[in-house]
Amino acid sequence: MIDINSAIQMSKTMPNISDGGSACFDFEDVVLVKYTLPLEYVKENYRARQGQERVMERINKKVEMGVNTPMQYAMKRVIEKDTDVCYVLQGKCPGVNCANASQYGASYDQVMRELEIVYNIPYEHYVKLITDGCNLLEMGYEAKNKNLFYDKDSGFWYIDFLDNNKNRIFDSNNPIRIFEAIRYAIPRPRQIASLMRYGTELTDEQQNKYDLLENSIEAKTFLAMKQAIPNLERYEKFFLFKKSEKFRKCLMDNNIVKKDLFNLEECDYQIYDELYNIVVNSIVDKIVKDGEPFWSVEVNDIRNDSDLFGLLELWEKHKNNPVNREEYEDKYDYEYETRQMFTQEMLDAIVSKLKTMDQNENVKKFLSEMSSKNDSHIKK
């Protein structure tokens, strides 16, 4: 295997094989990746690929655990003209990069052929993709096509990690980590297949075949999630409430979830309260520790933080939701009123909790801002 110094020297006259992002040079059994940062942006504790030393150490431990990601053999930091450079010599992924395997604007026939291939990928590769994604959660992985490879023999491979955040290690007993993984961090096998151009007109028959195949792939993916992640079944209703009716029907038709899954039961309200309190406590922490302003909590945080668990979607069906759909002709007016009611309910819970705590300057400022807004509404 070539050493990193020789690889750096030889790369200066070699083609860049990367289709996007950082430059990459092929040395058959290994690749040299070149991460760069203009010197004008370099500052203390901020360099090209900041934290790569930690990433390298941790990723190699992941490889030893059996995670599908290349071993990182060496790294070197250098200054080249007006650029800070971090070189990393790492193993080469088998298979094809998903960014090269898919394209945008493909024909219906091409997309259907590729979706068939994705659907027929061995189920154990689906499960391995999910398991490895959970094991890599703390590494700052971005679920982009260019960061994922697929090999017919060994399955999916992950590359490109930003950090080693020990506070974000996956824990199947922690609903925050479960939802972060399944909503944002873990890529989908669907990423291998091409996409039709947005607005492409299909016949009803074509649309039905397309929907059936795509939903079948997503159902297979979700089944793999349930196998790979203990405790996911407890929260699956909250994850699936945001999904389409066709997809949920596909899950029920294939006995992946119960036929009556989307009927709310008393145990669901208990889980709702658990997740609701997690969001409330998270926002309270932002206020107490970071001085999060009232306007941001009201306009952004409540909605965004609740979105992780799909709480707003369940609130529409919640027994305590006083907003009656039959009273609104326009569904958008109904949805707006529902969001407003949900926001006010959570805001009240946040304020109630803040008033029981020792009030530092951040809390006092938040409560004052809230009081000022309430006063302005009263005057109006």
Side-chain angles (χ1 to χ4, degrees):
M1 183 179 72
I2 191 170
D3 67 89
I4 192 167
N5 291 321
S6 299
I8 291 171
Q9 191 60 37
M10 293 175 64
S11 71
K12 299 184 186 304
T13 57
M14 293 175 63
N16 171 18
I17 65 168
S18 174
D19 286 337
S22 301
C24 185
F25 306 94
D26 188 353
F27 292 92
E28 296 186 0
D29 57 337
V30 294
V31 293
L32 180 72
V33 186
K34 181 181 181 180
Y35 302 105
T36 62
L37 181 69
L39 285 179
E40 61 184 300
Y41 298 115
V42 172
K43 55 186 76 171
E44 187 177 0
N45 296 322
Y46 187 73
R47 299 193 61 185
R49 210 60 176 182
Q50 181 66 33
Q52 175 58 35
E53 291 84 354
R54 297 191 305 274
V55 168
M56 183 173 177
E57 177 184 3
R58 187 64 179 166
I59 280 298
N60 288 342
K61 290 181 180 178
K62 300 287 188 182
V63 176
E64 293 171 1
M65 291 167 51
V67 173
N68 276 3
T69 188
M71 180 73 78
Q72 299 188 3
Y73 296 106
M75 64 164 288
K76 186 173 183 178
R77 295 189 179 278
V78 299
I79 303 296
E80 295 180 353
K81 296 182 179 179
D82 58 352
T83 305
D84 185 40
V85 182
C86 176
Y87 285 105
V88 178
L89 189 69
Q90 65 185 47
K92 187 176 178 180
C93 283
V96 61
N97 185 264
C98 291
N100 296 328
S102 63
Q103 67 181 70
Y104 175 69
S107 68
Y108 169 81
D109 289 339
Q110 178 183 338
V111 170
M112 292 298 286
R113 284 194 302 270
E114 293 179 6
L115 287 176
E116 286 282 359
I117 292 171
V118 175
Y119 180 72
N120 289 316
I121 287 174
Y123 177 66
E124 56 268 25
H125 288 180
Y126 275 65
V127 177
K128 175 80 169 146
L129 171 70
I130 309 303
T131 303
D132 284 353
C134 291
N135 282 327
L136 292 166
L137 183 64
E138 79 271 21
M139 303 308 302
Y141 174 80
E142 294 181 306
K144 299 177 180 177
N145 280 25
K146 69 182 183 68
N147 293 336
L148 191 70
F149 283 71
Y150 180 69
D151 175 60
K152 291 181 180 179
D153 295 324
S154 57
F156 293 92
W157 286 72
Y158 289 80
I159 62 167
D160 200 4
F161 307 98
L162 301 175
D163 202 358
N164 174 22
N165 185 348
K166 294 181 180 179
N167 294 322
R168 203 174 175 231
I169 293 174
F170 183 79
D171 178 0
S172 64
N173 293 312
N174 184 337
I176 296 177
R177 300 293 170 255
I178 291 175
F179 278 88
E180 283 178 342
I182 62 178
R183 282 214 196 282
Y184 309 132
I186 297 174
R188 302 287 189 267
R190 170 67 177 84
Q191 291 177 214
I192 295 177
S194 296
L195 294 167
M196 285 174 280
R197 189 169 297 280
Y198 181 77
T200 298
E201 292 188 11
L202 302 178
T203 66
D204 290 343
E205 181 181 7
Q206 286 176 325
Q207 188 67 58
N208 289 335
K209 287 182 177 179
Y210 174 82
D211 289 343
L212 177 60
L213 187 49
E214 188 163 67
N215 284 330
S216 297
I217 291 169
E218 290 301 315
K220 187 174 178 180
T221 304
F222 183 69
L223 183 62
M225 286 180 176
K226 289 183 68 171
Q227 179 174 331
I229 303 176
N231 294 329
L232 176 56
E233 186 168 359
R234 183 170 190 264
Y235 302 105
E236 63 183 355
K237 185 175 299 186
F238 293 76
F239 175 65
L240 295 171
F241 241 101
K242 298 182 70 172
K243 302 297 183 179
S244 71
E245 289 290 340
K246 285 186 177 181
F247 176 58
R248 288 169 14 185
K249 184 177 185 302
C250 181
L251 292 176
M252 290 185 283
D253 289 347
N254 288 278
N255 296 317
I256 295 173
V257 300
K258 297 183 296 184
K259 298 287 186 182
D260 62 348
L261 181 70
F262 301 103
N263 297 327
L264 293 178
E265 301 173 358
E266 193 58 39
C267 61
D268 297 316
Y269 293 115
Q270 295 172 6
I271 298 172
Y272 178 92
D273 289 343
E274 170 196 344
L275 300 178
Y276 187 93
N277 287 326
I278 287 174
V279 175
V280 168
N281 290 333
S282 173
I283 295 174
V284 166
D285 279 347
K286 291 181 189 178
I287 296 167
V288 174
K289 297 177 182 177
D290 305 324
E292 193 79 355
F294 174 80
W295 69 265
S296 181
V297 170
E298 183 183 40
V299 176
N300 299 319
D301 296 276
I302 289 176
R303 181 185 59 203
N304 294 341
D305 291 14
S306 298
D307 188 61
L308 177 66
F309 302 126
L311 294 182
L312 180 57
E313 284 72 20
L314 256 77
W315 173 248
E316 290 188 15
K317 310 293 183 183
H318 200 289
K319 61 184 180 182
N320 292 337
N321 178 14
V323 184
N324 188 346
R325 176 66 180 93
E326 295 177 357
E327 296 177 4
Y328 296 83
E329 292 184 10
D330 191 314
K331 78 167 187 173
Y332 297 104
D333 290 340
Y334 164 72
E335 290 172 352
Y336 173 80
E337 190 61 33
T338 301
R339 287 195 300 271
Q340 292 296 101
M341 181 63 69
F342 177 83
T343 299
Q344 189 59 52
E345 289 279 334
M346 184 168 284
L347 192 57
D348 289 345
I350 291 167
V351 169
S352 177
K353 189 172 182 65
L354 288 172
K355 288 181 175 179
T356 66
M357 304 171 63
D358 290 336
Q359 296 185 11
N360 64 13
E361 289 304 314
N362 291 335
V363 174
K364 291 177 182 178
K365 182 179 179 182
F366 181 90
L367 294 176
S368 175
E369 291 170 347
M370 183 200 69
S371 179
S372 296
K373 179 177 180 181
N374 289 342
D375 288 344
S376 67
H377 279 300
I378 292 172
K379 291 176 182 177
K380 290 180 181 178

